[in-house]
Amino acid sequence: HELANQLWELFIKEHYGATSNQIIEEFCEAISRFATLADLRLYLSKIRLIAKQMERLANDPTADYVRLLSIHTSKGMEFDTVFVAGAVDGILPDTSHETANIAEENRLAYVACTRAKERLYVTYAKSGAKESTQPSRFFAQYFTTDRP
C-alpha cells in the first residue's frame, strides 16, 4: 500500500485528479503482483517499449498488423477490412440489464459495419458456454444457414 500511495501521489493523481479510495484499492491490487519497485519499473519500461512500437506501426501505412478495438473506440475510423466478432443476440444488443437501449445498440452495430471500406466479416458462435445462441438481430439479415 505504501508503494501504491507513493505512485498515486507522483503520477496518477497528478494526471487524473481522482481521489476515490476505490481507484486506489484497484491500483493496489493491480500492482500487488510486483515484489519490488524495480520489478514494477521493469514491467512499465517494457510496456512503454511496446507502446512505442505500436505507435510506429500505427503511423506506417505499409505496416502489416491487426488492430483490436471496441466499437466505441472505432468511431470515426475506417479500415480496409473489419471483423465484428461475437455478433450474438444478448451480447449485441446487450440485453443483460433492464435498461437496455435497443436503438443505441442498433446504432453501435451500424457504426461497427460502416468502419469497413472494402470487406466486412461478421461472426457469431452457434453455441456458447452453456446454451445455443442466435445471431444478433442487427446482423441476422446477413447470415446464411448454408455456411459453417
Side-chain angles (χ1 to χ4, degrees):
H1 272 339
E2 182 180 331
L3 173 61
N5 283 324
Q6 288 173 0
L7 289 169
W8 179 263
E9 290 296 324
L10 292 172
F11 176 75
I12 297 174
K13 188 175 178 182
E14 176 183 327
H15 286 85
Y16 299 100
T19 58
S20 167
N21 284 339
Q22 179 184 359
I23 295 173
I24 294 172
E25 289 302 317
E26 289 174 7
F27 180 69
C28 288
E29 184 179 329
I31 67 165
S32 66
R33 65 185 174 133
F34 301 100
T36 66
L37 182 56
D39 292 342
L40 177 60
R41 283 184 178 155
L42 178 62
Y43 175 77
L44 292 175
S45 68
K46 288 178 183 178
I47 295 296
R48 283 189 200 107
L49 178 63
I50 292 168
K52 285 179 184 177
Q53 291 170 339
M54 291 174 62
E55 189 175 328
R56 277 195 299 275
L57 282 174
N59 293 322
D60 180 356
T62 63
D64 187 18
Y65 66 98
V66 173
R67 183 181 292 181
L68 299 176
L69 303 169
S70 69
I71 296 172
H72 287 77
T73 305
S74 71
K75 289 179 187 174
M77 298 179 179
E78 285 188 323
F79 304 94
D80 291 338
T81 304
V82 171
F83 287 84
V84 178
V88 174
D89 211 52
I91 296 176
L92 187 60
D94 178 6
T95 55
S96 63
H97 48 85
E98 292 178 18
T99 59
N101 183 337
I102 299 300
E104 174 65 12
E105 295 280 320
N106 192 21
R107 190 185 68 73
L108 283 172
Y110 176 80
V111 165
C113 291
T114 57
R115 302 306 90 205
K117 290 191 280 187
E118 296 176 17
R119 292 171 299 278
L120 171 66
Y121 298 91
V122 179
T123 67
Y124 81 100
K126 288 186 178 183
S127 62
K130 297 181 181 177
E131 57 195 47
S132 65
T133 61
Q134 294 297 315
S136 168
R137 62 191 84 167
F138 302 139
F139 302 102
Q141 62 186 327
Y142 306 110
F143 291 117
T144 61
T145 56
D146 60 341
R147 290 187 165 182

